[in-house]
Amino acid sequence: MTGRVCRGCGGTDIELDAARGDAVCTGCGSVLEDNIIVSEVQFVENSGGGSSAVGQFVSLDGAGKTPTLGGGFHVNLGKESRAQTLQNGRRQIHHLGNQLQLNQHCLDTAFNFFKMAVSKHLTRGRKMAHVIAACLYLVCRTEGTPHMLLDLSDLLQVNVYVLGKTFLLLARELCINAPAIDPCLYIPRFAHLLEFGEKNHEVSMTALRLLQRMKRDWMHTGRRPSGLCGAGHRPRALGCCAPVPMPDSRRAPPPPPALLVAARMHDFRRTVKEVISVVKVCESTLRKRLTEFEDTPTSQLTVDEFMKIDLEEECDPPSYTAGQRKLRLKQLEQVLSKKLEEVEGEISTYQDAIENELESSRPKAKGALANLTRDGSVEDTTSSVFGEDDAEDEELEAAASHLNKDFYQEILGSGLSSSSEGAGDPDGDTRPPALESLLGPLPTAASLGISDSIRECISSQSQDPTDACGDGELDLSGIDDLEIDRYILNEAEARVKAELWMRENAEYLREQREKEARIAKEKELGIYKEHKPKKSCKRREPIQASTAGEAIEKMLEQKKISSKINYSVLRDLNSKGGGGLQEEDAQPEGRTATRKLSRRKTPARRHRADPVTGVGKRLRPMVSAQPAKKAAAGEPLPLSPSTLGAEPARPTAVLVESGPVSYHPEDDPDEDDPDEDDGEPCVSALQMMGSGDYGCDGEEDDGY
Amino acid sequence: MDADSDVALDILITNVVCVFRTRCHLNLRKIALEGANVIYKRDVGKVLMKLRKPRITATIWSSGKIICTGATSEEEAKFGARRLARSLQKLGFQVIFTDFKVVNVLAVCNMPFEIRLPEFTKNNRPHASYEPELHPAVCYRIKSLRATLQIFSTGSITVTELWK
């Protein structure tokens, strides 16, 4: 069809036969092409007589199965990393999903979630198993299947909170709103497990009614659904007339208590242990729910009444009632403390009077003590002790009294603030700052003024950074040096402390010493291997370069390749073979994507000098040095001659990119040392181009 | 159900966390030996120092970075941090007090009414997330203020720093 010229006669009349796939010259009859690739549909006859089209389905994403050249390679070798990940993920999803008895539709949806997660790079840095479990649970939530996160964590033997974290992250990143789980969903499942036989349905219905009652009674918010279910099923000891105590598990979904009671109502005996093993809540939770339900008015109904009547009023949540009780207690306490205050005030006046009398008769006390003794009622008991103590303990006692003061103040509540302030003043400079800090956090009436205070906060935040920096000088205002001095031990104390610490951490120190001894011994024997902490693979950014030459330069700057490379020659190479280099990029990329470990050495400069002979030389060292790699090397070799053939005009350019190393005749001694590069014996051209996705140092040693 | 204007809503700050740097290397062993209120964790490589006045606990690394927790207000945190730096100075290190930054503030607040968490989550979809199987509170994130609120059904709310 195109204007091709026949090689034999030079005629332009060429006939294409699509059926045979030939291109024949009508002048001389020479066959120009054989086995032309055609885009026709062929049909084949089936055994039944019908005909079907010939062909294979190829998946949209990822490469299809590579044709096995030379036969017998491992299947995964031909796939790229993304396809492998997806295939692996699919396998694991199906494995887990079958254990959970999820249907095919759910599994497919889960796989779609997984594909989305992979494309958003959410699988990086996370265990594949966690991500898979999160995908599956997401599907369970959206479909409304009665599977709990606990089930998944049971299967995987992973902490449920870890799974929950991954699940939450996944739901957030994929912008999927998982609908809240309704405890009613679990009832049929648990009922089935508890084996009620024929009455299964009835028990479930009863449990459902119980659950709904619990919901109205505010018992289910903030509780795990499975707990409520269990209580519902487990019936406590009750006759027909006795009230039905309905357990309510807030945290766990309400099912278990509901199931417990329902079962009992229908005269089934199910012990707590059985229910717990089915529902996976703790016994104490179950009991709690039961007692909570007992408090609700519904529990007063008999069985028959419950089935017929539905009480109108709603209860407050149990935690709310508990909170109310606490509030009442607090109020009582406050009243009591106020009364205490009054009594205290009286006593303190008497004590002051006595003190004054005593002071006038007693000799003058020491400085620090005097300050303290002038304080309020609290100090009096301790001050009498002071006079007798030694000077050394004086400071410690003072500190203790300080502490006591704080302690007492806290006990008597904030109402004492006024009296403590008065007592604190004579103390001197140390007290005011501490008092301010004590009084600071007291709650301010902020009901309506909240918006104002918020505005203030936000505006003040913007001002803070300006005065926070400073020039690094320590502002000593308000810092009491004396107290800080107390924090520093003297020599004797330091020794004692060191002794104590040594005794505490004896084991750790012993381990350290043993480790050092072991290392020393190994060093002597020469076996010592230094275990360097594994450096994490740095993700290198893909090099942005307009020409291949630029790319090589940039790559060389980034990567520290062998010192034996003559970089100047390399740069010259770029300038000359710039166009040719670009073309060859596509080829090696296509092939090296499969990570074939043909040895491609960086001394590309050597190619230039003697390309043709280099090829011949190259084959020899390749074969002799690595007979094991012949199979792998065999592949690129036939290809490179073909590329040579394809571009006879530019042999230099071809060999630079696609061919394996050709040794320069002068550099023969280097042949004997394949591993001349430090830890980088194999650098594919792709890596030279610096495609960062594959750039992990550790991977380069794969084949070795 | 809404808050009455007469009822005072008090929000209490319970914890303030801050960091600062001393631009010098600190010899942890020396601090451990001579400080009266320190815990030396050699395996992790840090020293815990507790002060009494502003009741704070400071974690000291040998690089000179110090994290200070337990203060009840921002001023107190700064005060405590300065005290700490002063005590380190007394021990003999050339301490320079730089890069002081409040990293996290924890506050607690109580609503006088109970809250229905599932409906609340439904109405506040993007911000709120509720997972009853994992945690009994709704996690409400405000990105503009960089805050995370944990809302319990009893009406008590914990406000803390936003972390991903």
Side-chain angles (χ1 to χ4, degrees):
Chain A
M1 64 192 165
T2 55
R4 272 213 310 270
V5 181
C6 169
R7 259 176 279 140
C9 62
T12 54
D13 197 3
I14 297 173
E15 186 188 305
L16 274 171
D17 190 352
R20 284 200 301 265
D22 292 347
V24 184
C25 168
T26 47
C28 60
S30 54
V31 176
L32 295 169
E33 266 188 51
D34 209 354
N35 293 327
I36 298 177
I37 296 173
V38 294
S39 56
E40 280 185 0
V41 186
Q42 279 191 324
F43 288 93
V44 176
E45 206 176 294
N46 284 349
S47 51
S51 52
S52 55
V54 174
Q56 281 182 334
F57 281 109
V58 182
S59 77
L60 190 63
D61 42 18
K65 282 207 163 95
T66 53
T68 50
L69 305 161
F73 288 118
H74 192 253
V75 183
N76 274 346
L77 200 58
K79 292 209 176 80
E80 52 177 31
S81 164
R82 178 59 66 89
Q84 264 183 289
T85 316
L86 290 177
Q87 197 191 46
N88 203 10
R90 195 189 180 86
R91 202 173 4 105
Q92 287 197 25
I93 286 179
H94 278 269
H95 181 66
L96 261 187
N98 287 332
Q99 284 175 310
L100 290 172
Q101 282 120 33
L102 287 173
N103 58 19
Q104 192 58 35
H105 167 70
C106 291
L107 294 178
D108 288 339
T109 320
F111 185 57
N112 279 333
F113 286 150
F114 182 68
K115 270 196 277 191
M116 282 198 277
V118 169
S119 66
K120 291 199 178 192
H121 306 298
L122 296 174
T123 48
R124 284 238 177 91
R126 283 188 189 88
K127 291 213 165 86
M128 178 87 123
H130 295 351
V131 179
I132 303 258
C135 289
L136 277 170
Y137 187 59
L138 198 56
V139 166
C140 289
R141 275 297 204 93
T142 49
E143 300 289 323
T145 59
H147 289 104
M148 295 191 291
L149 200 58
L150 277 169
D151 303 330
L152 278 170
S153 84
D154 268 347
L155 282 174
L156 291 174
Q157 298 292 305
V158 167
N159 187 1
V160 68
Y161 294 107
V162 170
L163 278 186
K165 204 168 156 193
T166 317
F167 165 70
L168 282 173
L169 187 100
L170 199 75
R172 199 173 52 225
E173 292 296 319
L174 297 179
C175 304
I176 296 173
N177 287 322
I181 198 76
D182 193 9
C184 304
L185 287 173
Y186 291 128
I187 287 190
R189 178 179 160 199
F190 292 141
H192 177 72
L193 283 168
L194 281 172
E195 289 168 11
F196 290 123
E198 295 141 2
K199 277 194 152 184
N200 212 339
H201 182 69
E202 281 182 39
V203 179
S204 310
M205 293 312 291
T206 320
L208 270 171
R209 275 187 65 103
L210 281 164
L211 254 185
Q212 276 158 12
R213 183 67 235 166
M214 284 180 208
K215 276 197 211 171
R216 289 188 59 194
D217 284 337
W218 276 83
M219 286 214 249
H220 83 293
T221 36
R223 269 90 188 281
R224 218 183 281 142
S226 49
L228 285 171
C229 276
H233 258 111
R234 190 204 192 254
R236 277 231 289 238
L238 49 95
C240 276
C241 310
V244 178
M246 292 221 216
D248 224 4
S249 66
R250 259 199 217 184
R251 203 143 183 262
L259 283 172
L260 257 179
V261 180
R264 194 57 73 89
M265 280 161 71
H266 290 272
D267 297 327
F268 279 105
R269 298 249 140 225
R270 291 286 175 271
T271 61
V272 176
K273 286 210 180 73
E274 287 174 17
V275 176
I276 285 174
S277 62
V278 163
V279 174
K280 293 168 197 137
V281 278
C282 185
E283 191 180 322
S284 54
T285 314
L286 213 53
R287 288 191 198 284
K288 241 192 188 171
R289 304 287 166 263
L290 284 165
T291 42
E292 276 171 7
F293 195 82
E294 217 178 343
D295 291 333
T296 68
T298 317
S299 63
Q300 303 303 318
L301 300 172
T302 65
V303 178
D304 297 323
E305 281 177 3
F306 174 71
M307 301 304 273
K308 297 193 188 98
I309 307 169
D310 200 12
L311 278 177
E312 284 306 314
E313 57 183 53
E314 291 183 0
C315 283
D316 292 323
S319 51
Y320 183 68
T321 48
Q324 292 289 357
R325 228 179 295 144
K326 269 190 230 162
L327 264 175
R328 261 178 271 134
L329 275 173
K330 241 186 176 177
Q331 281 170 350
L332 271 174
E333 265 184 47
Q334 277 181 352
V335 170
L336 277 172
S337 66
K338 273 196 199 115
K339 292 222 180 110
L340 253 176
E341 255 181 65
E342 294 165 17
V343 178
E344 278 277 344
E346 284 185 26
I347 296 179
S348 62
T349 47
Y350 290 137
Q351 279 182 328
D352 284 340
I354 296 172
E355 259 306 297
N356 291 333
E357 286 294 318
L358 283 174
E359 263 203 27
S360 50
S361 47
R362 211 196 281 147
K364 206 76 176 135
K366 297 176 193 149
L369 288 177
N371 286 339
L372 298 166
T373 51
R374 240 178 273 139
D375 288 339
S377 52
V378 172
E379 300 293 275
D380 286 337
T381 47
T382 53
S383 58
S384 52
V385 183
F386 281 176
E388 298 152 9
D389 281 347
D390 299 333
E392 276 186 28
D393 299 330
E394 173 190 316
E395 292 192 345
L396 287 173
E397 289 292 324
S401 66
H402 272 270
L403 278 182
N404 286 340
K405 216 182 166 74
D406 296 350
F407 182 56
Y408 283 126
Q409 280 179 353
E410 277 181 68
I411 286 185
L412 293 173
S414 52
L416 252 187
S417 55
S418 49
S419 56
S420 64
E421 251 186 299
D425 276 340
D427 240 8
D429 304 335
T430 58
R431 297 302 291 171
L435 272 176
E436 277 166 33
S437 53
L438 275 174
L439 296 173
L442 281 181
T444 55
S447 56
L448 283 178
I450 283 181
S451 51
D452 294 331
S453 50
I454 289 174
R455 231 178 289 130
E456 269 178 48
C457 283
I458 295 176
S459 57
S460 62
Q461 263 175 31
S462 53
Q463 290 164 17
D464 268 341
T466 52
D467 46 13
C469 39
D471 51 348
E473 281 297 309
L474 191 56
D475 183 12
L476 287 177
S477 64
I479 291 181
D480 176 30
D481 273 359
L482 277 178
E483 184 175 338
I484 289 177
D485 275 339
R486 277 188 231 126
Y487 288 142
I488 301 175
L489 303 168
N490 58 22
E491 251 195 58
E493 289 166 339
R495 252 184 291 124
V496 171
K497 183 163 184 197
E499 182 70 41
L500 275 172
W501 188 85
M502 289 295 178
R503 228 180 294 154
E504 277 282 327
N505 301 51
E507 233 184 78
Y508 176 72
L509 289 172
R510 194 169 17 96
E511 279 174 31
Q512 294 289 85
R513 260 178 272 135
E514 281 171 12
K515 187 173 171 188
E516 280 169 27
R518 197 175 11 109
I519 292 173
K521 222 192 315 170
E522 281 178 357
K523 268 201 180 125
E524 283 171 31
L525 298 173
I527 316 172
Y528 181 55
K529 258 193 301 183
E530 184 139 350
H531 291 281
K532 260 186 270 187
K534 201 169 186 183
K535 257 187 274 178
S536 58
C537 305
K538 277 182 283 188
R539 269 220 78 197
R540 275 187 236 113
E541 289 167 30
I543 297 178
Q544 315 277 349
S546 50
T547 65
E550 237 185 274
I552 291 183
E553 270 191 57
K554 287 199 182 158
M555 179 276 303
L556 287 174
E557 279 168 47
Q558 270 189 9
K559 267 191 170 192
K560 288 152 202 133
I561 309 185
S562 160
S563 55
K564 296 181 180 139
I565 299 175
N566 187 352
Y567 289 99
S568 53
V569 179
L570 197 60
R571 256 174 251 126
D572 291 340
L573 184 144
N574 299 341
S575 56
K576 226 185 181 183
L581 286 175
Q582 275 175 346
E583 274 184 61
E584 293 304 317
D585 274 355
Q587 271 196 14
E589 281 201 27
R591 268 188 296 112
T592 54
T594 64
R595 308 285 316 185
K596 290 222 166 64
L597 299 170
S598 50
R599 293 182 60 87
R600 295 195 177 98
K601 286 231 171 157
T602 50
R605 55 174 170 108
R606 297 180 185 160
H607 293 251
R608 277 189 46 109
D610 205 350
V612 178
T613 54
V615 172
K617 262 202 183 297
R618 182 213 334 124
L619 287 174
R620 258 193 292 116
M622 287 294 292
V623 169
S624 60
Q626 294 116 22
K629 301 290 167 203
K630 229 197 273 182
E635 247 212 62
L637 288 181
L639 287 169
S640 42
S642 71
T643 56
L644 273 177
E647 300 235 356
R650 285 184 184 152
T652 58
V654 167
L655 284 173
V656 164
E657 290 313 301
S658 59
V661 178
S662 85
Y663 291 82
H664 202 265
E666 296 141 23
D667 296 346
D668 273 346
D670 285 341
E671 286 174 11
D672 302 330
D673 186 19
D675 284 285
E676 60 181 71
D677 294 337
D678 311 330
E680 296 187 45
C682 171
V683 182
S684 67
L686 179 68
Q687 285 171 316
M688 282 170 61
M689 287 299 121
S691 48
D693 286 331
Y694 301 94
C696 179
D697 282 334
E699 284 181 43
E700 286 169 29
D701 289 326
D702 262 350
Y704 301 82
Chain B
M1 271 289 209
D2 292 333
D4 295 351
S5 35
D6 299 325
V7 175
L9 272 182
D10 41 356
I11 180 161
L12 267 168
I13 298 181
T14 50
N15 191 15
V16 174
V17 179
C18 63
V19 298
F20 70 96
R21 284 188 192 278
T22 69
R23 291 220 181 258
C24 73
H25 183 267
L26 298 171
N27 185 359
L28 293 183
R29 198 186 156 86
K30 186 173 176 207
I31 299 177
L33 283 177
E34 297 181 18
N37 45 352
V38 293
I39 304 170
Y40 183 24
K41 290 199 175 182
R42 193 181 162 189
D43 33 348
V44 201
K46 59 187 182 189
V47 161
L48 293 174
M49 188 164 185
K50 303 198 190 216
L51 261 65
R52 284 197 203 107
K53 234 355 149 37
R55 208 164 266 279
I56 54 172
T57 305
T59 310
I60 305 170
W61 274 273
S62 59
S63 63
K65 182 159 181 191
I66 301 182
I67 296 184
C68 212
T69 66
T72 43
S73 78
E74 291 171 27
E75 297 85 29
E76 201 181 292
K78 182 146 196 190
F79 182 60
R82 281 193 287 125
R83 265 187 155 208
L84 199 62
R86 180 84 186 111
S87 58
L88 287 176
Q89 259 180 2
K90 290 209 151 190
L91 281 171
F93 300 105
Q94 305 294 324
V95 162
I96 305 175
F97 185 74
T98 52
D99 296 338
F100 175 81
K101 191 168 87 146
V102 172
V103 173
N104 190 2
V105 178
L106 229 125
V108 174
C109 178
N110 245 301
M111 295 288 139
F113 46 80
E114 67 273 9
I115 302 172
R116 278 184 226 201
L117 300 182
E119 281 110 63
F120 178 80
T121 350
K122 264 186 235 157
N123 294 336
N124 296 276
R125 248 314 144 71
H127 300 289
S129 77
Y130 177 42
E131 202 62 37
E133 296 191 24
L134 294 175
H135 193 57
V138 171
C139 187
Y140 189 94
R141 285 163 209 225
I142 306 176
K143 267 203 160 153
S144 54
L145 295 174
R146 280 199 325 166
T148 303
L149 292 105
Q150 292 202 354
I151 305 167
F152 291 85
S153 59
T154 57
S156 68
I157 298 178
T158 309
V159 187
T160 177
E161 190 214 8
L162 177 70
W163 41 269
K164 274 288 172 184

